[in-house]
Amino acid sequence: MPYLPTPRSLVLFLVLFLAGCSNLGPRVLETGRGDYNTALRDTSDQQLLLNLVRLRYLERPYFLEVASVTSQFTFSGSAGAGLAFEGLRVDDDVPVDIQGVYEEAPTVAYQPLQGEDFVRRLLSPISIEAVALLARSGWSIERIMRVCVQRANDLGNAVTASGPTPGEAPDFEAFLEVARAARRLQQQDQLALALVADGEGRPVLSFVLTHGGERTAEFRRLAELLELSEERTRFSFGSGIWQRDGGSVDVQTRSLNGILYYLSHGVEIPEA
């Protein structure tokens, strides 16, 4: 004879079922938050790569930003059981009804980057403050200089690469030597970085030669290329610094659009 639930066992089952439903919210948060985070990151990377390829083929970039993501989770459950009596005897057939409904309703709001916001964010040169933040957060000074800076004093860093594909190979060898020398000094912990204000209140990125001001071959070559005084142990990178006092480097930074164009020239086109 098959086992039939007793009234007490049914009550216990209903209590456990409803208790499990009450813990569903935390479990949804544990699994859903990571999935949304990963999806936002991956789609942002895909959009960036798509725009680099567009620029490589001289097409207009377009950015569609995720302004907000909201998601509503709904779970409803019900369970019931009935007992039938025939006289003083409980009927063997015990009807059991269990229902559960789980719904997720995500809402994603997109915002295109266009108009004045597009001009301000993509076409304005990046600030010295942003360069300083990158430098002080552990990024290689060589990579920062090669990507973000297009001119330092008279040294151009592939200036024409900040736009559509140039007709001739841009000049960048001397600047590359400067960037690599600065990187070697950084790796040897002989170059400290600080964001300070000059005499007119403009922000400048100050490079300080550490370890007692020892002038290594890298520093002497760096000073020679940038027309700096080898007697200095501190020199400043900033925008709008035109005086040549042996301790300042006038820096022209790229815009974000210029950076994207610069990176797009590295896109490898398949033979097909």
Side-chain angles (χ1 to χ4, degrees), residues 72-103:
Q72 182 176 359
F73 300 92
T74 304
F75 181 84
S76 60
S78 63
L83 297 176
F85 293 88
E86 293 183 3
L88 298 177
R89 185 177 65 84
V90 179
D91 191 1
D92 291 337
D93 295 329
V94 180
V96 179
D97 181 28
I98 301 176
Q99 295 182 354
V101 179
Y102 172 79
E103 294 181 351

Side-chain angles (χ1 to χ4, degrees), residues 220-251:
R220 289 194 296 270
R221 182 56 178 163
L222 187 68
E224 177 185 355
L225 291 169
L226 293 174
E227 301 180 9
L228 298 170
S229 172
E230 291 190 14
E231 302 302 319
R232 293 287 192 95
T233 59
R234 178 191 297 265
F235 51 94
S236 301
F237 279 66
S239 298
I241 302 176
W242 298 108
Q243 69 272 20
R244 296 294 178 86
D245 58 2
S248 301
V249 180
D250 185 64
V251 173

Side-chain angles (χ1 to χ4, degrees), residues 124-188:
S124 300
I126 64 173
S127 64
I128 291 296
E129 291 94 328
V131 175
L133 287 174
L134 290 172
R136 299 188 66 179
S137 62
W139 283 76
S140 163
I141 189 62
E142 177 186 354
R143 178 172 298 176
I144 294 172
M145 292 180 66
R146 295 186 63 183
V147 173
C148 300
V149 178
Q150 68 178 10
R151 188 178 297 278
N153 283 346
D154 295 329
L155 299 182
N157 176 30
V159 177
T160 56
S162 296
T165 306
E168 299 180 358
D171 180 24
F172 64 94
E173 286 78 8
F175 187 94
L176 178 60
E177 190 176 353
V178 167
R180 287 177 174 172
R183 174 58 176 166
R184 286 191 292 269
L185 290 171
Q186 184 187 39
Q187 289 177 315
Q188 297 166 8

Side-chain angles (χ1 to χ4, degrees), residues 6-37:
T6 64
R8 288 185 178 181
S9 64
L10 287 175
V11 172
L12 178 61
F13 171 77
L14 294 177
V15 171
L16 294 175
F17 175 77
L18 295 175
C21 296
S22 65
N23 294 326
L24 182 65
R27 291 198 296 271
V28 169
L29 182 62
E30 290 174 359
T31 58
R33 186 170 185 173
D35 292 340
Y36 278 107
N37 183 290

Side-chain angles (χ1 to χ4, degrees), residues 108-137:
V108 181
Y110 295 103
Q111 181 177 354
L113 184 61
Q114 56 188 0
E116 182 180 351
D117 195 32
F118 177 88
V119 173
R120 178 176 55 83
R121 294 175 59 179
L122 260 74
L123 302 183
S124 300
I126 64 173
S127 64
I128 291 296
E129 291 94 328
V131 175
L133 287 174
L134 290 172
R136 299 188 66 179
S137 62

